[in-house]
Amino acid sequence: MKTLVILISGRGSNMQALLEAGLPINRAVVISNNPDAEGLKIAESLGARALCINHRDFQDRETFDTALATEINRHQPNLIALAGFMRILSHDFVQQYQGRLINIHPSLLPAYPGLHTHRHALQEGVKIHGCTVHFVTATVDHGPIVIQAAVPVMPDDTSQALANRVLQAEHRIYPQAVRWFLQDQLRLSGQVVTVSRATTHDSVIYSPGLQN
Ligand code: GRF
């Protein structure tokens, strides 16, 4: 019996990608801190248990995190996946789920931790941008990296256009990372994650493309 808990705050497109991926789970529980999250309805329509723990009902981060942990623990999940969950979690919360708490971030970490990653990438003029799935540690957006995907930055990109391109890649790598975890293919050693039986390839991404 494998259970996946997914934490969301809004749209929930990564959650949807996880729920539609045919992962080796018996049960998915989606928890939002925001009662208006569109993802809650999508989760229900896909047969997941969907519920809200509104952070506004709690006086501080610690009491919210305690209530959230109590709910999570009721479901005894194998893995907790943050999918656009917009609350910073307390040290104690992260500690308690060390090694089974995972996140998707819309940049090639360690570049651009935090918010507005696409805007920063455009401002810096990088030619390759992307997304990262990583284990969550107490330092925000710095945990051990499981998988990354790179996409080209186009000369006429807006933040939104770049975000859309990255999001397509997010929907590919997040289910892959979760599948590896559930199939026990991930080994953590310090900051380094090794994926057993993963394919490797040596292709190079050029952006802009090479010309003779
Ligand atoms: C994604 O870009 C994810 O990487 C970031 O927040 C966004 C959430 O989008 N952490 P969605 O709710 O999954 O559609």
Side-chain angles (χ1 to χ4, degrees), residues 62-82:
E62 278 67 33
T63 48
F64 168 70
D65 281 7
T66 302
L68 182 60
T70 302
E71 182 60 38
I72 290 172
N73 294 343
R74 281 192 336 110
H75 305 288
Q76 298 187 303
N78 300 75
L79 180 67
I80 302 143
L82 308 182

Side-chain angles (χ1 to χ4, degrees), residues 118-132:
H118 310 303
R119 197 169 76 204
H120 291 307
L122 290 177
Q123 279 164 354
E124 298 284 344
V126 297
K127 305 299 184 215
I128 293 175
H129 184 44
C131 49
T132 303

